[in-house]
Short mmCIF file of all heavy atoms in Angstrom, two decimals:
data_model
loop_
_atom_site.label_atom_id
_atom_site.label_comp_id
_atom_site.label_asym_id
_atom_site.label_seq_id
_atom_site.Cartn_x
_atom_site.Cartn_y
_atom_site.Cartn_z
N LYS A 2 -22.21 -26.06 29.94
CA LYS A 2 -21.01 -25.45 29.35
C LYS A 2 -20.14 -24.82 30.43
O LYS A 2 -20.65 -24.30 31.41
CB LYS A 2 -21.43 -24.35 28.39
CG LYS A 2 -21.71 -24.86 27.03
CD LYS A 2 -21.56 -23.75 26.00
CE LYS A 2 -21.87 -24.29 24.64
NZ LYS A 2 -23.08 -23.78 24.06
N SER A 3 -18.84 -24.83 30.20
CA SER A 3 -17.95 -24.14 31.12
C SER A 3 -18.15 -22.64 30.93
O SER A 3 -18.60 -22.19 29.88
CB SER A 3 -16.51 -24.50 30.77
OG SER A 3 -15.64 -23.62 31.39
N SER A 4 -17.84 -21.87 31.94
CA SER A 4 -17.92 -20.42 31.74
C SER A 4 -16.54 -19.80 31.67
O SER A 4 -16.39 -18.60 31.62
CB SER A 4 -18.74 -19.78 32.86
OG SER A 4 -18.12 -20.05 34.09
N ASN A 5 -15.51 -20.66 31.67
CA ASN A 5 -14.13 -20.13 31.67
C ASN A 5 -13.53 -20.09 30.28
O ASN A 5 -13.56 -21.07 29.56
CB ASN A 5 -13.22 -21.01 32.52
CG ASN A 5 -13.58 -20.91 33.97
OD1 ASN A 5 -14.06 -19.86 34.41
ND2 ASN A 5 -13.40 -21.99 34.70
N THR A 6 -12.98 -18.95 29.96
CA THR A 6 -12.26 -18.85 28.69
C THR A 6 -11.12 -17.84 28.87
O THR A 6 -10.78 -17.50 30.00
CB THR A 6 -13.24 -18.50 27.54
OG1 THR A 6 -12.50 -18.46 26.32
CG2 THR A 6 -13.95 -17.17 27.73
N ALA A 7 -10.56 -17.39 27.77
CA ALA A 7 -9.47 -16.42 27.86
C ALA A 7 -9.56 -15.47 26.70
O ALA A 7 -10.10 -15.82 25.63
CB ALA A 7 -8.13 -17.15 27.83
N CYS A 8 -9.07 -14.28 26.90
CA CYS A 8 -9.08 -13.28 25.83
C CYS A 8 -8.24 -13.80 24.66
O CYS A 8 -7.13 -14.26 24.86
CB CYS A 8 -8.51 -11.96 26.35
SG CYS A 8 -8.36 -10.73 25.04
N PRO A 9 -8.77 -13.71 23.45
CA PRO A 9 -8.05 -14.28 22.30
C PRO A 9 -7.06 -13.31 21.67
O PRO A 9 -6.38 -13.66 20.73
CB PRO A 9 -9.19 -14.52 21.31
CG PRO A 9 -10.12 -13.37 21.57
CD PRO A 9 -10.06 -13.11 23.05
N VAL A 18 -10.93 -15.06 31.37
CA VAL A 18 -12.25 -14.45 31.28
C VAL A 18 -13.32 -15.42 31.77
O VAL A 18 -13.24 -16.62 31.51
CB VAL A 18 -12.55 -14.08 29.79
CG1 VAL A 18 -13.96 -13.53 29.62
CG2 VAL A 18 -11.51 -13.07 29.27
N ILE A 19 -14.30 -14.87 32.48
CA ILE A 19 -15.45 -15.68 32.88
C ILE A 19 -16.67 -15.12 32.15
O ILE A 19 -16.88 -13.90 32.13
CB ILE A 19 -15.67 -15.60 34.41
CG1 ILE A 19 -14.39 -16.06 35.12
CG2 ILE A 19 -16.87 -16.43 34.84
CD1 ILE A 19 -14.32 -15.62 36.54
N TYR A 20 -17.41 -16.01 31.52
CA TYR A 20 -18.58 -15.58 30.75
C TYR A 20 -19.83 -15.97 31.51
O TYR A 20 -20.14 -17.16 31.66
CB TYR A 20 -18.55 -16.27 29.37
CG TYR A 20 -19.59 -15.79 28.41
CD1 TYR A 20 -19.50 -14.53 27.83
CD2 TYR A 20 -20.67 -16.60 28.06
CE1 TYR A 20 -20.45 -14.09 26.92
CE2 TYR A 20 -21.62 -16.17 27.15
CZ TYR A 20 -21.51 -14.90 26.59
OH TYR A 20 -22.44 -14.47 25.70
N GLU A 21 -20.53 -14.96 32.04
CA GLU A 21 -21.72 -15.22 32.84
C GLU A 21 -22.84 -14.30 32.42
O GLU A 21 -22.62 -13.08 32.32
CB GLU A 21 -21.42 -14.98 34.33
CG GLU A 21 -20.85 -16.20 35.03
CD GLU A 21 -20.35 -15.87 36.43
OE1 GLU A 21 -20.52 -14.72 36.89
OE2 GLU A 21 -19.77 -16.77 37.04
N ASP A 23 -24.26 -13.67 29.65
CA ASP A 23 -23.91 -12.92 28.44
C ASP A 23 -22.90 -11.80 28.70
O ASP A 23 -22.79 -10.86 27.90
CB ASP A 23 -25.17 -12.30 27.78
CG ASP A 23 -26.11 -13.38 27.29
OD1 ASP A 23 -25.66 -14.55 27.21
OD2 ASP A 23 -27.27 -13.06 26.99
N LYS A 24 -22.22 -11.84 29.82
CA LYS A 24 -21.25 -10.77 30.11
C LYS A 24 -19.85 -11.34 30.27
O LYS A 24 -19.68 -12.45 30.78
CB LYS A 24 -21.65 -10.05 31.40
CG LYS A 24 -22.83 -9.14 31.22
CD LYS A 24 -22.75 -7.96 32.21
CE LYS A 24 -23.70 -6.86 31.82
NZ LYS A 24 -25.11 -7.30 31.78
N LEU A 25 -18.87 -10.54 29.85
CA LEU A 25 -17.48 -10.94 30.02
C LEU A 25 -16.95 -10.33 31.30
O LEU A 25 -16.99 -9.11 31.48
CB LEU A 25 -16.64 -10.44 28.84
CG LEU A 25 -17.04 -10.94 27.45
CD1 LEU A 25 -16.20 -10.27 26.37
CD2 LEU A 25 -16.85 -12.44 27.38
N LYS A 26 -16.44 -11.19 32.19
CA LYS A 26 -15.89 -10.68 33.45
C LYS A 26 -14.47 -11.20 33.60
O LYS A 26 -14.13 -12.24 33.04
CB LYS A 26 -16.72 -11.18 34.63
CG LYS A 26 -18.12 -10.62 34.64
CD LYS A 26 -18.90 -11.16 35.81
CE LYS A 26 -20.36 -10.73 35.66
NZ LYS A 26 -21.25 -11.62 36.40
N LEU A 37 -10.42 -6.39 33.05
CA LEU A 37 -10.11 -6.56 31.63
C LEU A 37 -9.81 -5.17 31.07
O LEU A 37 -9.75 -4.20 31.82
CB LEU A 37 -11.29 -7.20 30.90
CG LEU A 37 -11.72 -8.57 31.45
CD1 LEU A 37 -13.01 -9.04 30.80
CD2 LEU A 37 -10.62 -9.61 31.23
N LEU A 41 -12.13 -5.88 25.62
CA LEU A 41 -13.07 -6.94 26.02
C LEU A 41 -14.27 -6.38 26.77
O LEU A 41 -15.36 -6.93 26.68
CB LEU A 41 -12.35 -8.01 26.85
CG LEU A 41 -11.63 -9.09 26.06
CD1 LEU A 41 -11.81 -10.45 26.69
CD2 LEU A 41 -11.99 -9.17 24.60
N HIS A 43 -15.90 -3.92 25.92
CA HIS A 43 -16.89 -3.50 24.91
C HIS A 43 -16.95 -4.49 23.74
O HIS A 43 -17.36 -4.13 22.64
CB HIS A 43 -16.54 -2.10 24.39
CG HIS A 43 -16.41 -1.09 25.48
ND1 HIS A 43 -17.48 -0.71 26.24
CD2 HIS A 43 -15.34 -0.43 25.97
CE1 HIS A 43 -17.06 0.17 27.14
NE2 HIS A 43 -15.77 0.35 27.00
N TYR A 44 -16.49 -5.70 23.98
CA TYR A 44 -16.32 -6.67 22.88
C TYR A 44 -17.59 -6.89 22.07
O TYR A 44 -17.55 -6.93 20.84
CB TYR A 44 -15.83 -8.00 23.48
CG TYR A 44 -15.39 -9.01 22.45
CD1 TYR A 44 -14.18 -8.85 21.79
CD2 TYR A 44 -16.18 -10.11 22.12
CE1 TYR A 44 -13.75 -9.76 20.84
CE2 TYR A 44 -15.76 -11.02 21.16
CZ TYR A 44 -14.55 -10.84 20.53
OH TYR A 44 -14.14 -11.74 19.57
N GLU A 45 -18.71 -7.00 22.78
CA GLU A 45 -19.95 -7.36 22.09
C GLU A 45 -20.51 -6.21 21.25
O GLU A 45 -21.43 -6.40 20.46
CB GLU A 45 -21.02 -7.83 23.11
CG GLU A 45 -20.53 -8.93 24.04
CD GLU A 45 -20.80 -10.35 23.53
OE1 GLU A 45 -21.11 -10.49 22.33
OE2 GLU A 45 -20.70 -11.29 24.32
N LYS A 46 -19.97 -5.01 21.43
CA LYS A 46 -20.51 -3.87 20.67
C LYS A 46 -20.00 -3.84 19.22
O LYS A 46 -20.53 -3.11 18.40
CB LYS A 46 -20.09 -2.55 21.33
CG LYS A 46 -20.79 -2.32 22.64
CD LYS A 46 -20.56 -0.90 23.13
CE LYS A 46 -21.07 -0.79 24.56
NZ LYS A 46 -20.22 0.07 25.37
N GLN A 49 -19.99 -7.99 14.11
CA GLN A 49 -19.30 -9.03 13.34
C GLN A 49 -19.96 -9.23 11.99
O GLN A 49 -21.12 -8.90 11.81
CB GLN A 49 -19.40 -10.36 14.09
CG GLN A 49 -18.39 -10.50 15.20
CD GLN A 49 -18.57 -11.84 15.89
OE1 GLN A 49 -18.77 -11.88 17.08
NE2 GLN A 49 -18.51 -12.94 15.15
N ASN A 89 -6.42 -13.56 16.15
CA ASN A 89 -6.76 -14.42 17.29
C ASN A 89 -5.50 -15.20 17.63
O ASN A 89 -4.86 -15.77 16.75
CB ASN A 89 -7.91 -15.36 16.89
CG ASN A 89 -8.32 -16.30 18.02
OD1 ASN A 89 -7.47 -16.84 18.74
ND2 ASN A 89 -9.61 -16.51 18.16
N LEU A 362 -13.47 -11.81 11.36
CA LEU A 362 -14.65 -11.44 12.16
C LEU A 362 -15.30 -10.15 11.68
O LEU A 362 -16.51 -9.99 11.76
CB LEU A 362 -14.25 -11.21 13.62
CG LEU A 362 -13.86 -12.41 14.47
CD1 LEU A 362 -13.60 -11.96 15.89
CD2 LEU A 362 -14.95 -13.47 14.45
N TYR A 363 -14.45 -9.20 11.25
CA TYR A 363 -14.96 -7.85 11.01
C TYR A 363 -14.74 -7.41 9.57
O TYR A 363 -13.80 -7.84 8.92
CB TYR A 363 -14.26 -6.85 11.94
CG TYR A 363 -14.35 -7.25 13.39
CD1 TYR A 363 -13.20 -7.60 14.11
CD2 TYR A 363 -15.58 -7.31 14.03
CE1 TYR A 363 -13.28 -7.98 15.44
CE2 TYR A 363 -15.67 -7.70 15.36
CZ TYR A 363 -14.52 -8.03 16.06
OH TYR A 363 -14.61 -8.43 17.37
N ALA A 377 -15.87 -15.79 10.52
CA ALA A 377 -15.37 -16.75 11.52
C ALA A 377 -16.29 -16.70 12.73
O ALA A 377 -17.04 -15.74 12.92
CB ALA A 377 -13.95 -16.37 11.91
N LYS A 378 -16.22 -17.72 13.57
CA LYS A 378 -16.89 -17.63 14.87
C LYS A 378 -15.94 -16.89 15.81
O LYS A 378 -14.72 -17.02 15.69
CB LYS A 378 -17.15 -19.03 15.42
CG LYS A 378 -18.35 -19.70 14.77
CD LYS A 378 -18.89 -20.80 15.67
CE LYS A 378 -19.96 -21.63 14.98
NZ LYS A 378 -21.20 -20.92 14.67
N ASN A 379 -16.50 -16.12 16.74
CA ASN A 379 -15.59 -15.46 17.68
C ASN A 379 -15.17 -16.42 18.79
O ASN A 379 -15.68 -17.54 18.87
CB ASN A 379 -16.16 -14.13 18.19
CG ASN A 379 -17.26 -14.30 19.21
OD1 ASN A 379 -17.37 -15.35 19.85
ND2 ASN A 379 -18.08 -13.29 19.38
N PHE A 380 -14.25 -15.98 19.63
CA PHE A 380 -13.62 -16.92 20.59
C PHE A 380 -14.62 -17.51 21.58
O PHE A 380 -14.36 -18.57 22.14
CB PHE A 380 -12.48 -16.22 21.33
CG PHE A 380 -12.90 -15.26 22.41
CD1 PHE A 380 -12.76 -15.60 23.75
CD2 PHE A 380 -13.42 -14.01 22.11
CE1 PHE A 380 -13.14 -14.71 24.76
CE2 PHE A 380 -13.80 -13.12 23.11
CZ PHE A 380 -13.67 -13.47 24.45
N LEU A 381 -15.75 -16.83 21.78
CA LEU A 381 -16.72 -17.34 22.76
C LEU A 381 -17.43 -18.59 22.24
O LEU A 381 -17.95 -19.38 23.01
CB LEU A 381 -17.76 -16.25 23.07
CG LEU A 381 -17.19 -14.97 23.69
CD1 LEU A 381 -18.23 -13.85 23.67
CD2 LEU A 381 -16.72 -15.24 25.11
N CYS A 382 -17.43 -18.75 20.92
CA CYS A 382 -18.24 -19.79 20.29
C CYS A 382 -17.40 -20.93 19.71
O CYS A 382 -17.87 -21.65 18.82
CB CYS A 382 -19.11 -19.17 19.20
SG CYS A 382 -20.12 -17.83 19.81
N LYS A 383 -16.15 -21.05 20.16
CA LYS A 383 -15.35 -22.19 19.68
C LYS A 383 -14.35 -22.59 20.76
O LYS A 383 -14.14 -21.84 21.72
CB LYS A 383 -14.63 -21.83 18.37
CG LYS A 383 -13.68 -20.65 18.44
CD LYS A 383 -13.28 -20.17 17.04
CE LYS A 383 -12.42 -18.92 17.10
NZ LYS A 383 -12.35 -18.21 15.82
N ASN A 384 -13.76 -23.75 20.61
CA ASN A 384 -12.79 -24.24 21.58
C ASN A 384 -11.38 -23.92 21.15
O ASN A 384 -11.04 -24.07 19.97
CB ASN A 384 -12.93 -25.76 21.72
CG ASN A 384 -14.17 -26.12 22.49
OD1 ASN A 384 -14.32 -25.73 23.65
ND2 ASN A 384 -15.08 -26.82 21.83
N ASP A 385 -10.57 -23.51 22.11
CA ASP A 385 -9.18 -23.22 21.77
C ASP A 385 -8.34 -23.25 23.05
O ASP A 385 -8.85 -23.54 24.14
CB ASP A 385 -9.08 -21.85 21.06
CG ASP A 385 -7.93 -21.79 20.06
OD1 ASP A 385 -6.91 -22.46 20.31
OD2 ASP A 385 -8.04 -21.08 19.05
N MET A 398 -9.50 -22.04 26.31
CA MET A 398 -10.54 -21.11 25.84
C MET A 398 -11.73 -21.98 25.48
O MET A 398 -11.88 -22.41 24.33
CB MET A 398 -10.03 -20.34 24.63
CG MET A 398 -8.73 -19.58 24.91
SD MET A 398 -7.84 -19.14 23.41
CE MET A 398 -8.85 -17.79 22.81
N HIS A 399 -12.54 -22.28 26.51
CA HIS A 399 -13.68 -23.16 26.27
C HIS A 399 -14.74 -22.43 25.48
O HIS A 399 -14.90 -21.21 25.60
CB HIS A 399 -14.29 -23.58 27.61
CG HIS A 399 -13.38 -24.42 28.43
ND1 HIS A 399 -13.14 -25.74 28.16
CD2 HIS A 399 -12.64 -24.13 29.52
CE1 HIS A 399 -12.30 -26.23 29.04
NE2 HIS A 399 -11.97 -25.27 29.88
N GLN A 400 -15.49 -23.19 24.72
CA GLN A 400 -16.66 -22.60 24.08
C GLN A 400 -17.67 -22.27 25.18
O GLN A 400 -18.07 -23.15 25.94
CB GLN A 400 -17.27 -23.58 23.07
CG GLN A 400 -18.44 -22.96 22.36
CD GLN A 400 -19.20 -23.93 21.47
OE1 GLN A 400 -18.71 -25.02 21.15
NE2 GLN A 400 -20.39 -23.54 21.08
N VAL A 401 -18.06 -21.02 25.28
CA VAL A 401 -18.97 -20.62 26.36
C VAL A 401 -20.32 -20.13 25.82
O VAL A 401 -21.22 -19.83 26.59
CB VAL A 401 -18.33 -19.52 27.26
CG1 VAL A 401 -17.15 -20.08 28.03
CG2 VAL A 401 -17.91 -18.31 26.44
N ALA A 402 -20.42 -19.99 24.50
CA ALA A 402 -21.69 -19.51 23.92
C ALA A 402 -21.89 -20.16 22.55
O ALA A 402 -20.97 -20.80 22.03
CB ALA A 402 -21.65 -17.99 23.79
N ASP A 403 -23.07 -19.98 21.99
CA ASP A 403 -23.35 -20.51 20.65
C ASP A 403 -23.66 -19.35 19.72
O ASP A 403 -24.12 -18.30 20.16
CB ASP A 403 -24.60 -21.41 20.69
CG ASP A 403 -24.34 -22.66 21.48
OD1 ASP A 403 -23.34 -23.33 21.19
OD2 ASP A 403 -25.13 -22.94 22.41
N SER A 404 -23.40 -19.56 18.45
CA SER A 404 -23.89 -18.55 17.50
C SER A 404 -24.36 -19.31 16.27
O SER A 404 -23.81 -20.37 15.96
CB SER A 404 -22.79 -17.56 17.11
OG SER A 404 -21.84 -18.20 16.31
N SER A 409 -15.84 -22.09 12.68
CA SER A 409 -14.55 -22.07 13.41
C SER A 409 -13.43 -22.49 12.46
O SER A 409 -13.69 -23.10 11.41
CB SER A 409 -14.61 -23.00 14.61
OG SER A 409 -14.58 -24.35 14.15
N GLU A 410 -12.20 -22.19 12.85
CA GLU A 410 -11.06 -22.57 12.03
C GLU A 410 -10.99 -24.09 11.90
O GLU A 410 -10.66 -24.63 10.85
CB GLU A 410 -9.75 -22.03 12.63
CG GLU A 410 -9.55 -20.53 12.48
CD GLU A 410 -10.55 -19.69 13.26
OE1 GLU A 410 -11.09 -20.18 14.28
OE2 GLU A 410 -10.79 -18.54 12.85
#
Side-chain angles (χ1 to χ4, degrees):
K2 273 203 181 112
S3 165
S4 60
N5 292 330
T6 182
C8 175
V18 176
I19 303 161
Y20 188 72
E21 272 171 4
D23 296 346
K24 285 210 165 60
L25 300 175
K26 294 179 189 157
L37 302 172
L41 276 220
H43 305 293
Y44 190 74
E45 307 269 15
K46 290 191 190 143
Q49 279 180 237
N89 179 319
L362 289 184
Y363 306 114
K378 281 202 188 295
N379 75 21
F380 76 106
L381 298 167
C382 305
K383 59 194 176 197
N384 286 299
D385 211 328
M398 303 161 75
H399 294 285
Q400 182 187 345
V401 293
D403 293 308
S404 71
S409 72
E410 287 67 25

